[in-house]
Amino acid sequence: MAIRYARSLAHFEERCAVEEALALVEFLRAHPKGKISLATCTSMHAALLQVILAMRPPVTQLPADPLLAALIGAAATADLIPA
Amino acid sequence: MKTVLLERFVQEARELLQTAASGLLTLEREPGDATAINEVFRAVHTLKGSSGLFDTPPLTRLVHAGEDVLQQVRTGAMTLDSNVVDLLLDGLDQVGAFIDQLDRDGTLAGDADRIAAQHAGALRARLGGAETAVVVIADTTLPVAPPEWLAGFPAAERDALLARARAGEALLAVRYTPDEGCFYTGTDPLAAIRDVPDLLAVTVAAREPWGDPVADFDPYRCNLVFTALTAASRDAVEQAMTYELDAVELRTLVAVDAIAAPTPAPDVAPEPESSALLGEAGRHIVRTQLRVIAGGYDAIRLRSTGTLIGNLLRSLRQDALRERWEIALAEAIAAEDLAPVAAFLAALEEGPAPAAEAPPAPAVPLLPAELPASATADTPSAATLPAAAPPGEPRPASKTLKVDQGKIDLLMNLIGELVVQKNALPFLARRAEEIHGSREMGREIKEQFATLDRLTQEMQGAIMQIRMLPVAEVFDRFPRLVRDIARRLDKQVDLVLKGTDTAADKTIVEALGDPLLHIVRNSLDHGIEEPATRVAAGKPPVATLRLRAWQDNDCVVIEIADDGRGIDPARIRGVAVDKGMVTREQADALSDQEAINLIYRPGFSTAAEVSDLSGRGVGMDVVLSTVQRLGGRVSVTSQLGQGTVTRLSLPLSMAVTRIMVVDIGGSLYGIPIDHVVQTTRLDPGVIKRIKHREVFVLRDEVVPLIRMTALLGGRPSAVDAGRGEAVLVCRVEGRTVGLVIDDFREGMDVILKPMTGLLAEVSGYCGTTLLGDGRVLLVLDLKELF
């Protein structure tokens, strides 16, 4: 499966592979307020994780996978803390 | 600037690396070979010593790491398995690359430090691993993870894990810094870190600040650093990350002595103290700032963090700590690197010992990683030094002389001239007899000539011997190569080298390297099957690849034989037709052997998929052209299912060419003797005509006749009716032709001078040589003529 883009929300569905990284970057550049939902994401390639860490889009739902949730959760909360 | 000393070092280093590499391969086969381990150790040790003379710390560091591993092996504290050999060989390769850089630029490349550290780290990691398995040696334990490694973990989780570690549980911190280009090589670092067994916690951070995500963020340049905590053993972690080991650093969570000793290290001070120091509010501030800086380096944010923490420490009246904070902050700003700040904050949150207890020495307790690292670096060297040869002991003088190749070539040219000059003496003797009528004088000159002839021949032989190299020079690199390729392809191959002391001219031996490489790669990639396939075909799982060299008259023959699946002529035909190299009819008309020979056509490849080893369609035609350029031949025989034998036959020496002198239209010409099949005299009656071509039948083969006078000019001499036409039967590029000439003369060895200057453009001649009476002899290039 892949990333499904719905207006300003990117749904990660099941396994998301390395090829999606560029499209995700384009999406986030085109939609500065774009959000991502990981509710049904089972795993993603590190390149996608890197995009999320670098561009820090708001994550509406964390994935079920504990490792992914921990990695992305940590990044997302850090973003909410004012400098 | 390159100095004489550096040049000598480069040369010596290459030799030492070669010694070390071949020794390692011996060791891999026979781990108990004491001579081999000592040899390898000595080579690496010498290299380390010499490298210290130059400003090349990365090189020295890397060699040092290798030396330490070898020392462990030598003392028996560690056994050498394939993985360690791999690491050591990789390390040696890297040293080789450094040496090349030194040779080229006189200095190491900018990233040398990082690369050396990676290799050295991987080597040292093995050192520690062996230590836990065999015997406890203090200097080989893993260093403690620096606090910044742990900074990214949620405090509660980290504290819980640290507590477990302090309670004696062996917890490891794994820092994994994937290569920048790893996304292109199919690596998924996330999956790799997930593979680490018994994962307790993982964090991820940016290696370099992210920069502006809109403008210059490249999603395919990996900029991640993973830090994982695991309860697995070191071996298990390394096993799981085996393909990424060079990007992985391992640390223990808590120093061994910290577990044993009741007094905890300053950075692992118990909780209440830190609370007492910072208070809950202070800890919150520190934690928040830690998260802020985890986002990457940002000068403005860092400044605000600096003021905030500075104020916090001032309010707590921790002036000593505040000074250290200022130092860390200045370091971070200078290096644009958050590590010192992160380390300080992590230690602060952890609860550093109160200032009263902390020694006034700066930063040291906060950066515990520094100490163990330098300790491991120094201690083994102290231990190994006495083992080396005492410096005062005189080295046996080397029996080898290093001479520039140009000097030998000059000598070779001079002896060539001498041979030609010597050949003038018989003419002089004849003149003495015929013109001056002095038989006595003529005989004396001939006697002198005989002695001179013998001496020059011996001298020529001796000089050729200097240029002779054993084929071992090229064979030596194959054990390593075959091993590496076989491991990569998951095939099992036993390489057998035979006749390595067979010698041939340096030019030939050196030019052999590439063709051999192609053939061996082809064998490994296409010829030899996977172990399972082999077993199914009733063969032993381990394939045998034989490289054999022997001397055959004035040729050196090199044979590469594998017992793989062989070449399927039917498949070759099919591919050749598909690629449009031959038509189906042509292909069907070919014999099996001729079909196999198609693999030498440019662009031919049967491999369904292009691998990085072979199958790009270059290769076999390169082999053929290289060998032909050297004046050699290639033949392939193959039995389907039984294996393939490729045989290269090359002249022993390129310096001297044997030619046959012939008389054509009143002039003398030379023809390289390797073309000549036979000399014959034809009765004009047996010459038949097919259309306008003259032909004759030789051993049931129709051979076209070419009248050389028509080709080269000159008036043909009258045919002696009783003896018939003089015909030289030659083989040119697989075709047989008969050359009609006026007369045969003698065969002779000549030094061929290529055509130069204006004459270089003239085709049909491969060069000139001088005859004994001073006349110039043109040597024909039959390939260009027909």
Side-chain angles (χ1 to χ4, degrees), chain B residues 671 704-706 708 726-730 737-741 782 786:
Chain B
I671 290 176
L705 275 177
I706 293 168
M708 294 304 279
V727 173
L728 193 64
V729 182
C730 294
V737 291
L739 310 181
V740 183
I741 55 175
L782 295 183
F786 307 128

Side-chain angles (χ1 to χ4, degrees), chain B residues 26 108 171 237 243 250 406 413 432 478 522 534 661 663 717 768:
Chain B
T26 316
L108 293 180
L171 297 187
V237 173
Y243 295 105
L250 286 177
N413 280 337
F478 283 103
N522 260 302
R534 290 183 62 87
V661 182
D663 191 344
S717 61
T768 61

Side-chain angles (χ1 to χ4, degrees), chain A residues 18-22 25 29 44-47 49-51 53-56 65 67-68 71 81-83, chain B residues 183 187-190 194 202-204 210 213-214 217-224 226 288 291 295 301:
Chain A
V18 63
E19 300 83 35
E20 316 251 11
L22 202 57
V25 171
R29 280 181 185 158
M44 69 172 82
H45 192 277
L49 174 68
Q50 172 167 299
V51 174
L53 294 185
M55 305 189 69
R56 299 182 163 229
D65 175 62
L67 176 64
L68 265 182
L71 289 176
I81 298 169
Chain B
F183 292 162
T187 312
D188 182 354
L190 191 53
R194 210 186 269 273
V202 182
T203 61
V204 61
W210 290 113
V214 180
F217 170 62
D218 175 2
Y220 290 124
R221 195 177 69 91
C222 182
N223 187 29
L224 298 172
F226 291 91
T288 314
R291 285 200 208 119
R301 281 190 176 190

Side-chain angles (χ1 to χ4, degrees), chain B residues 223-267:
Chain B
N223 187 29
L224 298 172
V225 181
F226 291 91
T227 312
L229 301 180
T230 168
S233 75
R234 181 170 180 175
D235 279 346
V237 173
E238 282 173 353
Q239 192 71 39
M241 302 282 287
T242 183
Y243 295 105
E244 295 292 320
L245 265 191
D246 54 344
V248 170
E249 289 173 87
L250 286 177
R251 296 283 190 276
T252 58
L253 217 49
V254 173
V256 178
D257 47 3
I259 300 170
T263 44
D267 63 327

